[in-house]
Amino acid sequence: MAGNSTSAASPPVDRLKRQKVPFLLRAMAFCIFFFPSSMVFKPVGAAGTVPMMLAVLVFLLWIFSVLFGLHNPIKVRHPGRVALAALFVATCASYAALYAGITGGSTEMARASADRWLILLMASAGIVLVVGEVVRTLSDAMVFIRALLAGAFFCCLVALAQFAFGINPMEWFQYAMPGFTYNGGDTPFQSRGALLRVAGSTFHSIELAVVSAMLLPLSIWRAIYDQGRWIGFRLLGTSLLIFAIASTVSRSGVLGLVVGLAVFIPFLPAVPRIWALIASPVALAGLFLGVPGLVSTLTGTVTSSSSDPSISTRTNNYPRVEAMVAQRPLFGAGPGNYEPDSAIHILDNEYLNAAVTLGLVGLFAVAIYLIVPGISGILAARSSRNPQLKSLAGAVGAGGLVAGICSLTFDSLSFPVFALTYPVLIGLGGAVWVMARAEKEAMSLGDGVQIQLRKEMVSSHKLPGGLQWIP
């Protein structure tokens, strides 16, 4: 299947012996899923998780490289940067209003929450900017995606252990991370119907479901094109992501699965597209038959919407949100400054959460941040004629749209694994946007230039940008 779908202009990525994606960037992507976000470096506080500190370090290195003229960031332009800039401007405006006392809630706790949000924004910026500049070829993309999916597959293995044996391997990290403190907040197990929902190495089962749905298209892309790994291993990773979605018994996961596959499959080459259409229902049927009680529990969560308290609490919060926004309409209560006083007051909607904390200005910016990158990935996929690049852009765009749509069902940016995984997709979206644009520009320059560009997209490093000095 993989051999038929790879064009002659796109040789196997493992022919490139030198891996030029920096180790720090690959380690950061893997650590998003490997290290628990409940373990923090106490002097830093709640933002002192291993992946967060690595992402902030990436951002500082990017700033350092710009200040000392080690690279020119202006050469790399893509819509993901616009989305990031919109969120940055809205956050700074709300942050300044909080510290100036304009919002009326400038307490020590409120300022600490705003500082944590700003650290998250810096970490996200580092990921978006550096991934978009470093990943310049399809070979780079494969090397980086391997590291990202390796972390996700570890997360899925943890979910499998939790689901099958009722144990939580993430608790072992509390004894294996000296200098770090357990900060709480994670919910590894929850009962729903006849099943026990699990969270893997994420904070919550909904987070696991949505993140797995976001990464599933990338895993399918890797299964098709990664000639350097055994096909059984590639398919196992994809199967684990599907299992992780099912093990959460989450409507958000089902929604993300449907959206992701519906957007991604049309961008596959003909043969893999047929196999995907055949294999998808077979895999889902096998999963439902192999997990006792899954069908009845999942069906109950979908059909009992009128009596489900998880839905009624969401709708009952709308009048409260309207009142809070009316009180502070422009800049909200301050970044990260919505603390529900009980479980029934959790908003479970990132857009509502943005309206309360960042105001209407922030709501508009968050909508841009969560929607524009996914659309730009789809546009890049539509414009590319290289089958491998087209399907990669479709996978990235599908993952971005899953994030944007599923953010209607939970306060996504409040969850640490989602909050760092989504910028990775934005960065990859920027990379495929640049490659697709370069391909389009070359189409007008003649056949010789097109052939040379295709070779460069697979095995060279001559596209704009560059942060190869980063370790």
Side-chain angles (χ1 to χ4, degrees):
M1 178 175 66
N4 293 335
S5 61
T6 305
S7 67
S10 302
V13 294
D14 270 9
R15 290 183 186 176
L16 179 63
K17 299 301 182 182
R18 297 179 59 194
Q19 296 182 351
K20 293 191 176 181
V21 178
F23 173 77
L24 176 60
L25 199 62
R26 287 179 280 136
M28 181 275 303
F30 177 80
C31 290
I32 291 174
F33 297 93
F34 184 76
F35 286 98
S37 298
S38 57
M39 297 296 294
V40 301
F41 187 56
K42 193 170 183 180
V44 179
T49 66
V50 172
M52 186 77 78
M53 290 190 293
L54 288 177
V56 170
L57 176 60
V58 168
F59 175 70
L60 294 177
L61 288 172
W62 186 87
I63 292 291
F64 174 84
S65 68
V66 172
L67 292 178
F68 286 86
L70 297 178
H71 86 292
N72 183 4
I74 305 300
K75 289 184 178 181
V76 179
R77 302 170 185 171
H78 56 82
R81 285 190 166 198
V82 177
L84 177 66
L87 183 60
F88 181 81
V89 170
T91 295
C92 289
S94 180
Y95 189 88
L98 173 68
Y99 270 77
I102 297 174
T103 60
S106 184
T107 64
E108 182 177 353
M109 182 176 296
R111 292 192 294 271
S113 297
D115 291 342
R116 286 195 296 271
W117 178 267
L118 201 61
I119 293 174
L120 171 62
L121 186 59
M122 288 191 294
S124 302
I127 296 172
V128 171
L129 295 170
V130 176
V131 171
E133 294 186 28
V134 166
V135 177
R136 293 180 286 170
T137 68
L138 291 171
S139 295
D140 292 340
M142 184 63 76
V143 170
F144 180 72
I145 289 171
R146 282 175 184 166
L148 176 68
L149 292 180
F153 297 161
F154 167 80
C155 177
C156 293
L157 288 175
V158 173
L160 179 61
Q162 292 171 338
F163 188 86
F165 305 109
I167 61 173
N168 182 22
M170 302 309 294
E171 293 180 350
W172 305 339
F173 281 82
Q174 298 181 28
Y175 309 101
M177 296 179 64
F180 286 77
T181 304
Y182 178 67
N183 197 45
D186 52 336
T187 309
F189 300 105
Q190 278 187 326
S191 296
R192 169 164 276 185
L195 294 178
L196 188 67
R197 306 172 74 183
V198 299
S201 60
T202 70
F203 252 38
H204 194 276
S205 55
I206 297 179
E207 182 182 26
L208 172 62
V210 173
V211 169
S212 297
M214 290 162 55
L215 296 181
L216 181 60
L218 280 178
S219 182
I220 297 174
W221 178 82
R222 184 218 171 163
I224 296 171
Y225 287 105
D226 191 358
Q227 303 289 309
R229 296 294 185 272
W230 178 50
I231 183 64
F233 175 78
R234 291 177 267 157
L235 293 178
L236 174 63
T238 302
S239 301
L240 283 174
L241 285 173
I242 297 174
F243 168 80
I245 297 171
S247 68
T248 64
V249 198
S250 168
R251 284 180 291 254
S252 299
V254 174
L255 175 63
L257 177 65
V258 171
V259 170
L261 293 181
V263 173
F264 171 61
I265 288 178
F267 293 109
L268 286 172
V271 174
R273 183 166 63 246
I274 294 173
W275 277 106
L277 292 173
I278 295 174
S280 297
V282 173
L284 291 176
L287 183 65
F288 288 144
L289 293 175
V291 181
L294 178 59
V295 174
S296 60
T297 303
L298 191 57
T299 302
T301 64
V302 174
T303 59
S304 63
S305 58
S306 60
S307 59
D308 193 332
S310 67
I311 293 180
S312 61
T313 54
R314 284 175 167 88
T315 57
N316 292 339
N317 277 323
Y318 292 161
R320 294 181 56 252
V321 171
E322 183 180 0
M324 287 185 285
V325 172
Q327 187 178 3
R328 301 182 179 97
L330 289 180
F331 304 118
N337 267 286
Y338 178 73
E339 294 293 337
D341 51 12
S342 64
I344 63 174
H345 288 162
I346 297 175
L347 296 181
D348 283 325
N349 184 318
E350 183 55 40
Y351 301 100
L352 295 182
N353 192 69
V356 171
T357 58
L358 300 175
L360 296 178
V361 173
L363 172 60
F364 181 68
V366 168
I368 293 175
Y369 182 71
L370 291 173
I371 295 174
V372 168
I375 295 176
S376 68
I378 300 303
L379 294 177
R382 286 175 58 87
S383 68
S384 176
R385 294 189 180 182
N386 182 316
Q388 188 173 352
L389 177 59
K390 177 185 284 289
S391 54
L392 173 58
V396 173
L401 290 179
V402 169
I405 293 174
C406 288
S407 290
L408 291 165
T409 65
F410 81 123
D411 46 333
S412 55
L413 295 178
S414 301
F415 289 84
V417 175
F418 176 98
L420 293 181
T421 302
Y422 180 63
V424 171
L425 291 180
I426 300 179
L428 284 172
V432 297
W433 177 274
V434 172
M435 285 188 275
R437 187 179 61 186
E439 179 189 31
K440 184 177 181 180
E441 292 174 353
M443 300 238 353
S444 62
L445 299 178
D447 294 338
V449 176
Q450 293 179 40
I451 294 173
Q452 180 62 26
L453 177 67
R454 287 172 183 169
K455 293 179 180 179
E456 291 177 357
M457 287 171 61
V458 176
S459 60
S460 76
H461 296 265
K462 297 180 180 180
L463 294 178
L467 285 171
Q468 302 306 323
W469 60 272
I470 293 180

